[in-house]
Amino acid sequence: MNKDPIIWVILKAILFFGFCGLSLWFSSKIVDRFNEKIEPFAYPQRIISLGPALTEQLYLLGVEDRLVGCTVYCKKPKEAESKEKVGTIIEVNLEKVVDLKPDLVLATSLTDPKAKEKLKDLGIKVACFPQAKNFSQMCDHFLGLGRLVGKDKEAKKITNSAKDKVAAIKEKVKNLPKPEVFIQIGAKPLFAATGRSFINDFIEFAGGINMAKEAKEGIYSREEVLKKDPEVIIIVTMGIVGEKEKEIWQSYQTLKAVKKGRIYIVDSYQFCSPTPVSFVEALEEMAGLLHPELYPHQTQ
Amino acid sequence: MNKKIIRWIIWILLLGGTLGGISIFSLCLGSAGIPVKDIIPLIFEGRGTTEYSILFDIRLPRILLGLAIGGALSLAGVILQGMFRNPLVEPYTLGISGGAALGVCLNIVLGLNSRGGILSIPVSGFLGAVMVILLVYSLSMRKGILKIQGLLLTGVMISFISSSLIMFIMAVSRTEDLHGIVFWIMGSLEEPNWFLIKAALLVSLLGMGIAYLFCWDLNALSLGEEDALHLGINTERTKRLLFVLASVLTGCSVSVAGIIGFVGLVVPHFGRMLAGGDHRILLVTAYLAGGAFLVLCDTLARTIISPLELPVGVITGIVGGSLFVYALTKRQVALGGK
């Protein structure tokens, strides 16, 4: 190993300063924690939402008149389409946002972190609502949003009624046999809903057993599915991909789900970014799929 | 000789003017729709208004970063193409960007960035780049000689290995991490941190200065190593320093702005078409043209489908590639030709 002193000194210096830099933010970060307080007195009047679910929740809370901008994917409810568009869920057009002079920007965990940082630097309040991991977290987020916009009571009312409805459905399916369910949320690679996603709540509340609950990662092998042989396969996706996946599953004649014809396709929008209200609707649908005897009017 | 100097000065003035023009054009253009006639009064008495903030807190940093990154990448491209005497080498070919991307992916997946704040991503990218530089460098050293061809192959292989590892990380990462990785890999000139923008500018200008000290050596090297040696150049030392310089320029650019392809490949060729392949002028023209090119592409990316933004790499690829193919069909590009 030949050593050229100049090069090694330069490279070592670079490494050294890099590590110095690293240790610097670890110390600076601790200070930031205390500055993020939400002031409960000044309710924001110009809100920009960067997630479809957040937009929907603002409408539920009845503050849609304060919503001045949202993403191009905010299509529910219908009225949201006429709002000013400030980008997609992941790409935010900062100029547009600043131009609308918001006093609150609602971001999700998919929002570009740099954009969030920049907005904070420009003195705009950014509240981030990460993807909920289960139903109770979803309700907490909704209550948090309610507090943020000064609609505590409404938020409580909506979440309580959603919780009651969920409890009623749980009661209904309590004593029924629990089918094994495999929920697929992605194709190529085959992706399953594990215990860490709130889709797991859909299955458990609706009286089923999530086959992939214990899986560490969402990527799942088809062999494993064949071996475990679930009674129901549910494909959460939209349009053509779902139909294709259904055909693939149907080529495995040995599967119980194929023999009984229990492979279903459900709308991803309703299942993947739910509000407490649409969660209940989706849960009803799920319960109907797992226990057709309960909901005889539902046809597939 | 004198004629040559005058021609060069004219080129520099032309490109400098173009760069200035594009920057001003970029400052005036955007989705917020500030009328051009309002901009002058805004600059002098607009402090504190939203429009002022859009111009100077959102558009200006992007322009400055575009200049820095475009210049640095083109410079690295010129150095490497001259050194390797290969028209297809670009800064990313050496695996530096792959290493940086791998560093960033690891950072995101291990959750360091949530603890380490906004600067942790660029630093981890830079450390990843440094690791790859060290690795490529040490693998290409044979008996105290830096094997140029070996360097290139090693770099390409390390690129592949890095991208496979990134695929692997993406396959086993959580959805929200996945987005962070994809964002970063796409590359963007959006950077909230002024310190990083200043650092990028400083590094790229310093790189320009240091590279210029080597313009004669580069001219000699582009004749071939043998000839350079006969001309009295210490080829080994020069090669090493140039390699490190190009790597640091690339590493810094990648760690701040992510991977913006094509700039380092195409701009040096345009520089050669415009003012010839003499490195005394080529370094300057490529630097100016690189800055102008990237700022122009970023402006297009911001405005084409407003309010949506395109990743700037999409535009650099399409615009740069088409222009380049067009230019190639019009005239032969001589590499390092006089």
Side-chain angles (χ1 to χ4, degrees):
Chain A
M1 183 90 203
N2 173 290
K3 287 199 180 177
D4 184 326
I6 302 174
I7 307 278
W8 286 103
V9 167
I10 292 174
L11 289 174
K12 275 176 185 161
I14 289 166
L15 276 171
F16 172 75
F17 285 121
F19 285 120
C20 285
L22 267 175
S23 53
L24 265 176
W25 316 299
F26 280 125
S27 52
S28 69
K29 201 57 205 169
I30 297 163
V31 183
D32 285 354
R33 283 287 149 80
F34 299 103
N35 301 339
E36 293 193 24
K37 273 192 296 214
I38 291 168
E39 298 153 22
F41 305 109
Y43 296 127
Q45 296 302 315
R46 295 181 66 80
I47 305 171
I48 286 179
S49 152
L50 300 176
L54 289 167
T55 306
E56 223 178 311
Q57 290 177 25
L58 289 172
Y59 275 83
L60 282 177
L61 290 168
V63 290
E64 62 270 22
D65 51 328
R66 299 193 216 159
L67 179 69
V68 293
C70 61
T71 73
V72 289
Y73 294 111
C74 296
K75 291 188 182 334
K76 268 172 96 173
K78 270 271 172 282
E79 297 83 53
E81 291 193 27
S82 60
K83 296 279 183 190
E84 193 76 49
K85 300 296 180 208
V86 297
T88 62
I89 298 172
I90 49 175
E91 286 265 4
V92 186
N93 188 323
L94 288 172
E95 278 189 31
K96 202 88 192 155
V97 171
V98 174
D99 205 32
L100 289 167
K101 302 186 177 64
D103 46 16
L104 172 67
V105 173
L106 300 172
T108 69
S109 46
L110 302 183
T111 311
D112 186 351
K114 282 185 176 175
K116 283 187 244 186
E117 204 61 33
K118 185 97 194 185
L119 288 170
K120 283 181 193 162
D121 280 355
L122 296 174
I124 295 168
K125 190 158 92 179
V126 180
C128 188
F129 288 87
Q131 172 83 299
K133 292 212 170 19
N134 51 44
F135 176 62
S136 69
Q137 215 175 51
M138 196 183 306
C139 291
D140 292 345
H141 286 180
F142 188 67
L143 290 171
L145 184 65
R147 266 198 302 280
L148 210 56
V149 298
K151 292 279 179 184
D152 271 316
K153 279 203 212 80
E154 289 80 351
K156 278 208 181 79
K157 214 167 91 188
I158 291 168
T159 46
N160 287 341
S161 104
K163 280 176 179 164
D164 291 346
K165 283 176 184 160
V166 168
I169 294 173
K170 274 185 178 170
E171 190 57 39
K172 241 181 181 172
V173 298
K174 204 170 63 179
N175 300 321
L176 296 171
K178 293 196 186 311
E180 274 230 317
V181 188
F182 177 73
I183 289 214
Q184 178 185 350
I185 47 178
K188 288 180 193 167
L190 184 60
F191 216 86
T194 63
R196 279 192 315 202
S197 81
F198 62 84
I199 293 184
N200 186 54
D201 275 5
F202 278 126
I203 309 176
E204 299 198 341
F205 293 175
I209 298 167
N210 181 5
M211 197 183 88
K213 187 180 178 178
E214 300 307 322
K216 278 203 171 51
E217 302 299 341
I219 293 187
Y220 216 81
S221 81
R222 241 177 246 279
E223 281 184 25
E224 193 71 9
V225 180
L226 293 185
K227 204 170 80 187
K228 290 198 171 166
D229 200 9
E231 276 173 67
V232 183
I233 294 174
I234 293 176
I235 304 164
V236 186
T237 157
M238 29 189 138
I240 279 178
V241 184
E243 289 297 336
K244 273 224 174 77
E245 278 299 310
K246 192 171 171 174
E247 277 171 30
I248 294 173
W249 287 119
Q250 275 166 338
S251 65
Y252 301 105
Q253 294 297 331
T254 57
L255 280 169
K256 273 188 230 155
V258 175
K259 284 180 194 155
K260 295 184 183 166
R262 296 190 71 179
I263 299 178
Y264 307 113
I265 298 173
V266 293
D267 173 36
S268 72
Y269 196 90
Q270 201 167 9
F271 280 83
C272 290
S273 63
T275 60
V277 175
S278 65
F279 182 91
V280 174
E281 290 164 13
L283 183 57
E284 292 257 341
E285 189 182 333
M286 182 66 82
L289 296 180
L290 299 189
H291 304 288
E293 65 275 20
L294 276 182
Y295 299 87
H297 56 276
Q298 276 198 8
T299 49
Q300 268 305 307
Chain B
M1 191 64 205
N2 248 342
K3 252 194 191 150
K4 203 187 224 174
I5 302 278
I6 288 165
R7 220 187 62 216
W8 285 356
I9 288 170
I10 289 171
W11 272 118
I12 291 174
L13 289 176
L14 258 177
L15 281 167
T18 314
L19 180 60
I22 285 178
S23 304
I24 290 165
F25 167 77
S26 174
L27 194 66
C28 299
L29 219 63
S31 50
I34 301 167
V36 178
K37 62 177 194 301
D38 292 1
I39 286 184
I40 305 285
L42 262 180
I43 293 170
F44 293 109
E45 54 218 61
R47 275 200 179 283
T49 60
T50 310
E51 284 79 11
Y52 186 87
S53 164
I54 287 175
L55 284 184
F56 290 94
D57 295 333
I58 293 179
R59 290 184 194 171
L60 187 67
R62 276 184 91 137
I63 294 170
L64 290 178
L65 193 62
L67 297 182
I69 304 278
L73 286 175
S74 311
L75 206 56
V78 169
I79 293 171
L80 293 171
Q81 285 174 5
M83 202 169 106
F84 286 104
R85 298 171 55 219
N86 178 337
L88 287 175
V89 178
E90 65 154 338
Y92 298 156
T93 333
L94 292 179
I96 298 162
S97 60
L102 192 57
V104 168
C105 284
L106 284 171
N107 173 324
I108 292 173
V109 168
L110 300 175
L112 299 176
N113 61 329
S114 52
R115 284 203 301 272
I118 201 80
L119 268 180
S120 83
I121 296 248
V123 167
S124 57
F126 192 69
L127 288 179
V130 170
M131 290 293 168
V132 167
I133 296 166
L134 281 175
L135 192 66
V136 172
Y137 183 86
S138 55
L139 286 173
S140 312
M141 285 301 275
R142 292 272 179 284
K143 301 193 185 85
I145 296 172
L146 193 62
K147 290 275 186 229
I148 288 261
Q149 292 315 319
L151 195 72
L152 197 53
L153 277 173
T154 316
V156 171
M157 284 308 135
I158 288 188
S159 269
F160 282 132
I161 295 170
S162 307
S163 61
S164 303
L165 285 173
I166 290 166
M167 287 273 190
F168 166 73
I169 291 172
M170 282 167 118
V172 298
S173 63
R174 298 174 312 149
T175 324
E176 46 265 43
D177 293 343
L178 201 63
H179 279 273
I181 295 172
V182 171
F183 263 124
W184 193 86
I185 287 181
M186 271 201 215
S188 136
L189 294 178
E190 188 56 64
E191 179 52 63
N193 192 322
W194 268 107
F195 164 74
L196 279 179
I197 295 173
K198 285 174 188 156
L201 267 172
L202 186 71
V203 167
S204 102
L205 287 168
L206 269 178
M208 178 69 222
I210 297 172
Y212 208 81
L213 299 178
F214 286 93
C215 58
W216 291 107
D217 304 49
L218 271 167
N219 276 347
L221 270 178
S222 52
L223 299 171
E225 274 189 66
E226 291 269 322
D227 296 345
L229 205 59
H230 292 310
L231 286 169
I233 307 278
N234 181 346
T235 48
E236 281 316 307
R237 204 192 59 187
T238 312
K239 273 190 311 190
R240 271 174 233 163
L241 277 166
L242 286 174
F243 169 67
V244 171
L245 178 64
S247 303
V248 169
L249 281 170
T250 314
C252 286
S253 310
V254 172
S255 57
V256 175
I259 296 173
I260 300 174
F262 243 84
V263 180
L265 176 63
V266 174
V267 174
H269 288 294
F270 279 120
R272 286 193 196 89
M273 279 182 216
L274 295 175
D278 187 331
H279 285 85
R280 281 173 295 173
I281 181 69
L282 181 56
L283 287 169
V284 184
T285 50
Y287 188 87
L288 294 172
F293 175 68
L294 194 54
V295 173
L296 179 68
C297 286
D298 188 52
T299 312
L300 292 176
R302 285 193 293 128
T303 50
I304 283 183
I305 51 166
S306 163
L308 304 188
E309 263 179 43
L310 285 168
V312 67
V314 172
I315 308 281
T316 52
I318 294 172
V319 173
S322 338
L323 275 176
F324 189 61
V325 169
Y326 170 78
L328 258 184
T329 49
K330 281 279 165 226
R331 55 182 286 189
Q332 279 301 312
V333 182
L335 177 82
K338 290 278 170 285

Tab-separated table of all heavy atoms in Angstrom, chain B residues 8-38:
chain	number	residue	atom	x	y	z
B	8	TRP	N	-10.939	34.294	-26.624
B	8	TRP	CA	-11.306	33.702	-25.324
B	8	TRP	C	-12.049	34.703	-24.458
B	8	TRP	O	-13.049	34.367	-23.833
B	8	TRP	CB	-10.038	33.231	-24.601
B	8	TRP	CG	-9.487	31.973	-25.168
B	8	TRP	CD1	-10.032	31.214	-26.157
B	8	TRP	CD2	-8.278	31.333	-24.778
B	8	TRP	NE1	-9.236	30.120	-26.405
B	8	TRP	CE2	-8.156	30.166	-25.578
B	8	TRP	CE3	-7.287	31.617	-23.849
B	8	TRP	CZ2	-7.076	29.285	-25.455
B	8	TRP	CZ3	-6.211	30.745	-23.719
B	8	TRP	CH2	-6.104	29.597	-24.522
B	9	ILE	N	-11.517	35.920	-24.421
B	9	ILE	CA	-12.161	36.933	-23.576
B	9	ILE	C	-13.591	37.171	-24.049
B	9	ILE	O	-14.523	37.269	-23.248
B	9	ILE	CB	-11.339	38.240	-23.582
B	9	ILE	CG1	-10.054	38.011	-22.774
B	9	ILE	CG2	-12.133	39.391	-22.964
B	9	ILE	CD1	-9.054	39.116	-22.886
B	10	ILE	N	-13.760	37.191	-25.361
B	10	ILE	CA	-15.112	37.388	-25.901
B	10	ILE	C	-16.028	36.245	-25.449
B	10	ILE	O	-17.151	36.470	-24.997
B	10	ILE	CB	-15.071	37.485	-27.447
B	10	ILE	CG1	-14.434	38.818	-27.837
B	10	ILE	CG2	-16.484	37.394	-28.033
B	10	ILE	CD1	-14.139	38.949	-29.308
B	11	TRP	N	-15.519	35.018	-25.521
B	11	TRP	CA	-16.318	33.863	-25.076
B	11	TRP	C	-16.691	33.982	-23.611
B	11	TRP	O	-17.829	33.733	-23.224
B	11	TRP	CB	-15.559	32.548	-25.305
B	11	TRP	CG	-15.795	31.972	-26.658
B	11	TRP	CD1	-14.860	31.753	-27.627
B	11	TRP	CD2	-17.040	31.567	-27.207
B	11	TRP	NE1	-15.457	31.230	-28.739
B	11	TRP	CE2	-16.799	31.104	-28.520
B	11	TRP	CE3	-18.355	31.546	-26.728
B	11	TRP	CZ2	-17.792	30.622	-29.346
B	11	TRP	CZ3	-19.359	31.065	-27.555
B	11	TRP	CH2	-19.081	30.609	-28.841
B	12	ILE	N	-15.709	34.361	-22.804
B	12	ILE	CA	-15.986	34.467	-21.364
B	12	ILE	C	-17.049	35.520	-21.104
B	12	ILE	O	-17.992	35.313	-20.334
B	12	ILE	CB	-14.689	34.786	-20.583
B	12	ILE	CG1	-13.757	33.571	-20.628
B	12	ILE	CG2	-14.990	35.142	-19.133
B	12	ILE	CD1	-12.406	33.820	-20.023
B	13	LEU	N	-16.918	36.668	-21.792
B	13	LEU	CA	-17.911	37.728	-21.608
B	13	LEU	C	-19.289	37.249	-22.054
B	13	LEU	O	-20.289	37.469	-21.373
B	13	LEU	CB	-17.507	38.977	-22.394
B	13	LEU	CG	-16.301	39.738	-21.833
B	13	LEU	CD1	-15.931	40.900	-22.730
B	13	LEU	CD2	-16.586	40.222	-20.412
B	14	LEU	N	-19.310	36.561	-23.207
B	14	LEU	CA	-20.580	36.053	-23.729
B	14	LEU	C	-21.248	35.111	-22.735
B	14	LEU	O	-22.420	35.259	-22.400
B	14	LEU	CB	-20.342	35.283	-25.030
B	14	LEU	CG	-20.667	36.010	-26.336
B	14	LEU	CD1	-20.312	35.129	-27.505
B	14	LEU	CD2	-22.156	36.366	-26.362
B	15	LEU	N	-20.460	34.139	-22.264
B	15	LEU	CA	-21.030	33.140	-21.352
B	15	LEU	C	-21.410	33.773	-20.024
B	15	LEU	O	-22.451	33.453	-19.441
B	15	LEU	CB	-20.051	31.991	-21.132
B	15	LEU	CG	-20.027	30.976	-22.267
B	15	LEU	CD1	-18.831	30.069	-22.145
B	15	LEU	CD2	-21.305	30.151	-22.263
B	16	GLY	N	-20.555	34.684	-19.552
B	16	GLY	CA	-20.882	35.382	-18.305
B	16	GLY	C	-22.190	36.140	-18.458
B	16	GLY	O	-23.050	36.119	-17.575
B	17	GLY	N	-22.348	36.808	-19.616
B	17	GLY	CA	-23.587	37.534	-19.883
B	17	GLY	C	-24.785	36.598	-19.909
B	17	GLY	O	-25.825	36.878	-19.321
B	18	THR	N	-24.609	35.456	-20.591
B	18	THR	CA	-25.694	34.468	-20.658
B	18	THR	C	-26.086	34.015	-19.257
B	18	THR	O	-27.268	33.930	-18.920
B	18	THR	CB	-25.238	33.223	-21.449
B	18	THR	OG1	-24.588	33.668	-22.622
B	18	THR	CG2	-26.406	32.336	-21.787
B	19	LEU	N	-25.070	33.749	-18.457
B	19	LEU	CA	-25.308	33.276	-17.092
B	19	LEU	C	-26.100	34.320	-16.307
B	19	LEU	O	-27.102	34.005	-15.663
B	19	LEU	CB	-23.963	32.993	-16.425
B	19	LEU	CG	-23.981	32.495	-14.996
B	19	LEU	CD1	-24.749	31.200	-14.912
B	19	LEU	CD2	-22.572	32.261	-14.496
B	20	GLY	N	-25.656	35.574	-16.407
B	20	GLY	CA	-26.364	36.649	-15.714
B	20	GLY	C	-27.795	36.766	-16.208
B	20	GLY	O	-28.741	36.865	-15.419
B	21	GLY	N	-27.949	36.709	-17.523
B	21	GLY	CA	-29.274	36.831	-18.119
B	21	GLY	C	-30.206	35.727	-17.648
B	21	GLY	O	-31.336	35.994	-17.233
B	22	ILE	N	-29.702	34.505	-17.678
B	22	ILE	CA	-30.530	33.368	-17.263
B	22	ILE	C	-30.911	33.491	-15.792
B	22	ILE	O	-32.040	33.211	-15.398
B	22	ILE	CB	-29.802	32.033	-17.545
B	22	ILE	CG1	-29.840	31.748	-19.039
B	22	ILE	CG2	-30.452	30.885	-16.795
B	22	ILE	CD1	-29.127	30.502	-19.461
B	23	SER	N	-29.957	33.963	-14.975
B	23	SER	CA	-30.256	34.108	-13.551
B	23	SER	C	-31.368	35.125	-13.327
B	23	SER	O	-32.290	34.888	-12.545
B	23	SER	CB	-29.015	34.542	-12.780
B	23	SER	OG	-27.979	33.639	-13.016
B	24	ILE	N	-31.287	36.258	-14.022
B	24	ILE	CA	-32.316	37.281	-13.849
B	24	ILE	C	-33.668	36.761	-14.352
B	24	ILE	O	-34.699	36.901	-13.700
B	24	ILE	CB	-31.909	38.572	-14.591
B	24	ILE	CG1	-30.731	39.212	-13.850
B	24	ILE	CG2	-33.066	39.556	-14.678
B	24	ILE	CD1	-30.020	40.268	-14.635
B	25	PHE	N	-33.623	36.085	-15.495
B	25	PHE	CA	-34.822	35.486	-16.078
B	25	PHE	C	-35.441	34.500	-15.094
B	25	PHE	O	-36.653	34.476	-14.871
B	25	PHE	CB	-34.387	34.792	-17.376
B	25	PHE	CG	-35.391	33.863	-17.990
B	25	PHE	CD1	-36.469	34.357	-18.698
B	25	PHE	CD2	-35.231	32.480	-17.876
B	25	PHE	CE1	-37.376	33.497	-19.286
B	25	PHE	CE2	-36.136	31.621	-18.464
B	25	PHE	CZ	-37.214	32.130	-19.173
B	26	SER	N	-34.577	33.724	-14.446
B	26	SER	CA	-35.047	32.727	-13.489
B	26	SER	C	-35.658	33.398	-12.259
B	26	SER	O	-36.619	32.909	-11.688
B	26	SER	CB	-33.878	31.845	-13.079
B	26	SER	OG	-34.257	30.967	-12.076
B	27	LEU	N	-35.091	34.541	-11.879
B	27	LEU	CA	-35.604	35.251	-10.706
B	27	LEU	C	-36.995	35.809	-10.987
B	27	LEU	O	-37.829	35.911	-10.094
B	27	LEU	CB	-34.629	36.377	-10.342
B	27	LEU	CG	-34.799	37.033	-8.985
B	27	LEU	CD1	-34.497	36.043	-7.875
B	27	LEU	CD2	-33.889	38.242	-8.857
B	28	CYS	N	-37.243	36.158	-12.261
B	28	CYS	CA	-38.523	36.771	-12.618
B	28	CYS	C	-39.616	35.740	-12.853
B	28	CYS	O	-40.788	36.083	-12.930
B	28	CYS	CB	-38.387	37.604	-13.884
B	28	CYS	SG	-37.230	38.940	-13.703
B	29	LEU	N	-39.223	34.488	-13.061
B	29	LEU	CA	-40.194	33.500	-13.506
B	29	LEU	C	-40.554	32.548	-12.368
B	29	LEU	O	-39.676	32.094	-11.643
B	29	LEU	CB	-39.568	32.684	-14.651
B	29	LEU	CG	-40.505	32.324	-15.795
B	29	LEU	CD1	-40.992	33.589	-16.464
B	29	LEU	CD2	-39.779	31.447	-16.779
B	30	GLY	N	-41.832	32.249	-12.249
B	30	GLY	CA	-42.219	31.303	-11.212
B	30	GLY	C	-43.718	31.207	-11.152
B	30	GLY	O	-44.427	31.941	-11.838
B	31	SER	N	-44.195	30.274	-10.316
B	31	SER	CA	-45.634	30.013	-10.337
B	31	SER	C	-46.410	31.052	-9.550
B	31	SER	O	-47.617	31.115	-9.637
B	31	SER	CB	-45.893	28.622	-9.772
B	31	SER	OG	-45.235	28.486	-8.554
B	32	ALA	N	-45.703	31.863	-8.746
B	32	ALA	CA	-46.440	32.835	-7.942
B	32	ALA	C	-46.936	33.996	-8.798
B	32	ALA	O	-47.805	34.744	-8.390
B	32	ALA	CB	-45.562	33.358	-6.818
B	33	GLY	N	-46.378	34.129	-10.011
B	33	GLY	CA	-46.875	35.147	-10.937
B	33	GLY	C	-46.688	36.569	-10.470
B	33	GLY	O	-47.633	37.339	-10.394
B	34	ILE	N	-45.446	36.908	-10.123
B	34	ILE	CA	-45.171	38.297	-9.773
B	34	ILE	C	-44.846	39.021	-11.088
B	34	ILE	O	-43.943	38.599	-11.809
B	34	ILE	CB	-43.969	38.399	-8.813
B	34	ILE	CG1	-44.272	37.596	-7.549
B	34	ILE	CG2	-43.655	39.838	-8.488
B	34	ILE	CD1	-43.073	37.367	-6.668
B	35	PRO	N	-45.571	40.099	-11.414
B	35	PRO	CA	-45.307	40.776	-12.691
B	35	PRO	C	-43.879	41.319	-12.748
B	35	PRO	O	-43.365	41.806	-11.747
B	35	PRO	CB	-46.324	41.930	-12.701
B	35	PRO	CG	-47.275	41.640	-11.608
B	35	PRO	CD	-46.636	40.708	-10.652
B	36	VAL	N	-43.286	41.240	-13.932
B	36	VAL	CA	-41.881	41.632	-14.077
B	36	VAL	C	-41.673	43.100	-13.719
B	36	VAL	O	-40.671	43.468	-13.100
B	36	VAL	CB	-41.397	41.356	-15.519
B	36	VAL	CG1	-39.957	41.790	-15.703
B	36	VAL	CG2	-41.538	39.872	-15.829
B	37	LYS	N	-42.646	43.948	-14.055
B	37	LYS	CA	-42.439	45.378	-13.795
B	37	LYS	C	-42.444	45.705	-12.297
B	37	LYS	O	-41.959	46.753	-11.888
B	37	LYS	CB	-43.485	46.215	-14.531
B	37	LYS	CG	-44.936	45.952	-14.099
B	37	LYS	CD	-45.880	46.886	-14.855
B	37	LYS	CE	-47.263	46.926	-14.235
B	37	LYS	NZ	-47.953	45.641	-14.178
B	38	ASP	N	-42.981	44.778	-11.485
B	38	ASP	CA	-42.983	45.023	-10.036
B	38	ASP	C	-41.686	44.631	-9.369
B	38	ASP	O	-41.466	44.951	-8.203
B	38	ASP	CB	-44.119	44.208	-9.367
B	38	ASP	CG	-45.480	44.726	-9.780
B	38	ASP	OD1	-45.509	45.685	-10.575
B	38	ASP	OD2	-46.490	44.173	-9.318
